[in-house]
Amino acid sequence: MKLSDYRNNRGLSQTEVAKRMGVTQAFVSMIESHNNPTIKTLRKYFNAMGYILKIEPKFEGYKALLKKEDNSYV
């Protein structure tokens, strides 16, 4: 799914998302054009549309040590 598909599913224009993010429409266009946005920018983009962006690392071949919210390790 392309980034613009998420925006279109919410019935929002690039201009509306830009206003919610506090950026320009051109910046939203750049994000949607896959010009390597940062995780922070993607999180702000999705939050502006009412989505929550969750990122989970996946490691092949071994179990990683990840912090839980209570600060213990798994």
Side-chain angles (χ1 to χ4, degrees):
M1 200 168 181
K2 296 185 323 186
L3 292 177
S4 60
D5 293 333
Y6 288 97
R7 178 178 48 76
N8 290 327
N9 283 341
R10 295 287 191 192
L12 296 168
S13 68
Q14 287 184 341
T15 301
E16 290 169 310
V17 172
K19 284 181 185 177
R20 292 178 182 195
M21 290 178 68
V23 297
T24 65
Q25 176 275 327
F27 187 72
V28 172
S29 178
M30 183 194 72
I31 293 167
E32 292 181 354
S33 298
H34 307 288
N35 286 336
N36 201 20
T38 65
I39 293 170
K40 182 178 178 180
T41 298
L42 285 175
R43 190 175 309 273
K44 193 172 182 180
Y45 174 80
F46 282 107
N47 287 347
M49 296 180 289
Y51 292 103
I52 296 172
L53 178 65
K54 291 186 177 184
I55 299 172
E56 180 180 328
K58 297 284 185 175
F59 300 94
E60 284 190 44
Y62 63 93
K63 188 174 181 178
L65 291 175
L66 299 176
K67 271 192 169 180
K68 288 184 180 181
E69 287 185 34
D70 65 358
N71 293 329
S72 63
Y73 290 92
V74 294

